[in-house]
Amino acid sequence: MSMNLCLYVAADTFTETRAKGTHVVVIDVLRASSTIVQAYESGVERIIPVAGVEEATRLLPTLDREKALLCGEQEGIKVDGFDLGNSPLEYVGTAVRGKTLVFSTTNGTTAMVKAAASDEIAVGCFLNLKAVVAHLISSGAERVSILCAGTNGLLSLEDFLCAGLMVNGLVEAYHNQLGLNDAAVAARLLAASMTDIFEVVSRSSHGQYLSNLGFKDDLEFCSRLDLYSSVPTVVDGRIQGRTQSSHR
Ligand code: MLT
């Protein structure tokens, strides 16, 4: 068993050619991945990640409006006219259970759309880190890309740390049968030197930005490790929810 792993520190350099033939994990700790994982756990019917507000609004009339919610942010804030923003804490209970979420965020859902040509897109963050590692191992994938959403083309500390911890999990399973690019090696070094997740998330520039907007509770929530064991995957542009009977 062997795996070749390529880590991208931001979505900008991820092209269709790079996506082809790989299993991709999109990490956007603050906050798209964390919010999607939370929404999935809360029993949504499906989530449609899109690459911008215009696309989200265009899609809405094609859906059952009783069930469909427009969700996401611009500059961290709920888009005018949208039903929900991008705080994972909004995505609980009857607000989202059984709903279809059309989800647009600046970096996170855009990264998911960019990865469309890949064999599989899994959504990962601290909340489901261990589950993502187990999912990759059991998939038997030989080529894996970890795609950090980053922030506007730049590395985000919180995504990079999350990626480093995922790489560590894979190293434990594959030992020297795991090929790593330089970014993956660097992410492991960060994970070895900065072990307090909440501290890293709070010190990150996007973490500070969100704190100033009043989203401090989101930072705390998004820092929780292995709270969930589900791995939402994007298939044909959609994340299908679990059946109602399996909801907690
Ligand atoms: C993004 O996709 O850029 C983020 O999830 C922004 C945010 O914190 O809402």
Side-chain angles (χ1 to χ4, degrees):
M1 156 171 116
S2 68
M3 182 187 281
N4 210 328
L5 176 77
C6 196
L7 169 59
Y8 296 84
V9 300
D12 284 38
T13 57
F14 198 68
T15 57
E16 193 177 324
T17 313
R18 286 177 162 167
K20 278 188 179 155
T22 73
H23 284 230
V24 176
V25 179
V26 173
I27 299 176
D28 185 8
V29 168
L30 294 177
R31 295 166 289 174
S33 292
S34 304
T35 300
I36 287 175
V37 168
Q38 176 56 49
Y40 186 84
E41 284 289 331
S42 296
V44 293
E45 187 175 275
R46 62 191 165 139
I47 303 170
I48 309 174
V50 297
V53 171
E54 261 177 41
E55 199 186 328
T57 337
R58 193 154 28 87
L59 203 58
L60 190 66
T62 68
L63 302 166
D64 174 359
R65 193 56 180 112
E66 296 274 293
K67 271 191 181 179
L69 297 177
L70 276 179
C71 309
E73 56 70 47
Q74 274 179 326
E75 298 182 0
I77 298 164
K78 178 165 90 77
V79 182
D80 251 1
F82 272 32
D83 301 295
L84 295 171
N86 191 24
S87 166
L89 304 178
E90 293 175 83
Y91 290 76
V92 291
T94 52
V96 291
R97 189 170 306 132
K99 304 283 190 190
T100 291
L101 312 184
V102 183
F103 202 60
S104 165
T105 73
T106 313
N107 301 284
T109 59
T110 306
M112 289 164 205
V113 171
K114 273 200 125 179
S118 61
D119 289 351
E120 184 190 79
I121 306 164
V123 180
C125 53
F126 291 117
L127 297 175
N128 68 347
L129 193 144
K130 209 168 163 183
V132 168
V133 172
H135 176 80
L136 288 173
I137 295 167
S138 69
S139 75
E142 291 181 357
R143 289 185 58 212
V144 168
S145 302
I146 295 184
L147 179 55
C148 294
T151 306
N152 304 329
L154 299 176
L155 180 149
S156 287
L157 206 55
E158 69 282 7
D159 292 346
F160 200 53
L161 174 63
C162 186
L165 292 173
M166 278 181 196
V167 177
N168 279 346
L170 292 168
V171 168
E172 260 178 47
Y174 287 83
H175 305 283
N176 58 1
Q177 296 305 305
L178 181 68
L180 300 178
N181 71 338
D182 290 355
V185 174
R188 294 193 74 203
L189 292 175
L190 175 72
S193 64
M194 298 182 90
T195 52
D196 185 331
I197 295 174
F198 179 61
E199 195 197 326
V200 171
V201 169
S202 308
R203 273 175 61 178
S204 70
S205 48
H206 193 57
Q208 288 180 19
Y209 175 76
L210 289 173
S211 275
N212 290 335
L213 285 179
F215 291 117
K216 217 170 181 166
D217 290 349
D218 285 5
L219 270 54
E220 218 162 303
F221 182 77
C222 295
S223 302
R224 294 179 71 178
L225 188 61
D226 298 327
L227 180 64
Y228 296 129
S229 55
S230 61
V231 181
T233 54
V234 186
V235 178
D236 294 332
R238 312 268 185 275
I239 296 166
Q240 212 55 48
R242 292 177 292 196
T243 56
Q244 212 68 29
S245 58
S246 63
H247 294 156
R248 296 185 304 163

